[in-house]
Amino acid sequence: MNTEELVAHFRAGKSVTPGTAEYEALLRCSHEAMRITAELNTAYRSPERIRELMSQLTGTPLDAGFALFPPFYSDFGKNIRIGKNVFINACCCFQDQGGITIGDGSLIGHRVVLATINHGFLPEERSSCRPAPIVIGRNVWIGSGVIVLPGISIGDNAIVAAGAVVTRDVAADSVVAGTPARFIRSITGMTAQEKQACTA
């Protein structure tokens, strides 16, 4: 199985189990992701070189407005789609087998974890990988230390406060905070100081 077939398998929502052709392809992609992120993370890289390496990791060219502060971690890489003028801060972990989409103009804070894989609850099913995509809209601001779980959509212009654990969809133009994340207020009418207090 090649990489494109594996990505299609994940995008169809199908699981991957050890001992299958899909699992062998996943291991191959994981080692490629480790190689690329090792190069990205072990020395200073220019913004242009960072974009080149991230384009290799994702398998798609990135917009000139894309910026990332390493280190950055991914154990797959080929199911990440990033829009224009996206910024990703340091120490983020993207587990993207299930698919991660980030819309134009979004900001991702330090140490954000985007996790798109779950496992079976029963011990004999624990090693299976069950994908579900994360979709982040346009102009979303995700604060430091946020964890987003599989299958979550975050609407355009939303703010996810620092340290939140997002377990359900986030509506557009809203602020969520806490563990699990819950609606705090609409961003309409918020002052700049209030927004800063949310995300830091």
Side-chain angles (χ1 to χ4, degrees):
M1 169 173 277
N2 63 34
T3 301
E4 292 74 21
E5 290 169 333
L6 180 60
V7 170
H9 182 91
F10 279 129
R11 288 183 181 171
K14 296 178 181 178
S15 297
V16 169
T17 305
T20 63
E22 292 84 7
Y23 192 79
E24 292 304 313
L26 175 57
L27 288 178
R28 186 180 67 249
C29 289
S30 294
H31 282 278
E32 181 183 5
M34 284 188 272
R35 178 185 60 76
I36 295 169
T37 55
E39 182 177 351
L40 178 67
N41 296 335
T42 53
Y44 170 76
R45 308 294 176 198
S46 70
E48 295 77 17
R49 183 59 180 155
I50 289 170
R51 278 195 298 275
E52 289 174 5
L53 288 167
M54 287 296 291
S55 294
Q56 288 178 29
L57 180 68
T58 62
T60 57
L62 292 179
D63 174 70
F66 170 78
L68 178 142
F69 287 176
F72 174 82
Y73 305 97
S74 171
D75 57 3
F76 187 60
K78 293 298 187 277
N79 211 359
I80 301 172
R81 296 295 173 264
I82 299 172
K84 297 178 180 179
N85 300 312
V86 168
F87 173 68
I88 300 172
N89 218 325
C91 299
C92 289
C93 298
F94 286 15
Q95 183 197 48
D96 63 288
Q97 291 90 336
I100 292 171
T101 301
I102 303 174
D104 295 350
S106 288
L107 307 173
I108 311 296
H110 289 90
R111 300 188 183 280
V112 168
V113 174
L114 304 180
T116 68
I117 288 290
N118 223 327
H119 299 283
F121 284 2
L122 297 175
E124 60 270 23
E125 299 174 351
R126 200 69 50 82
S127 60
S128 66
C129 298
R130 300 179 177 180
I134 291 172
V135 178
I136 297 169
R138 297 173 56 144
N139 303 311
V140 171
W141 185 2
I142 298 182
S144 299
V146 167
I147 298 172
V148 182
L149 297 184
I152 299 298
S153 292
I154 300 175
D156 293 350
N157 308 313
I159 298 173
V160 181
V165 177
V166 184
T167 62
R168 58 186 173 183
D169 290 352
V170 176
D173 301 304
S174 64
V175 179
V176 299
T179 303
R182 58 186 172 80
F183 177 79
I184 301 298
R185 61 176 295 174
S186 169
I187 64 169
T188 305
M190 283 185 76
T191 67
Q193 185 175 11
E194 288 171 323
K195 291 178 183 176
Q196 180 67 29
C198 284
T199 56

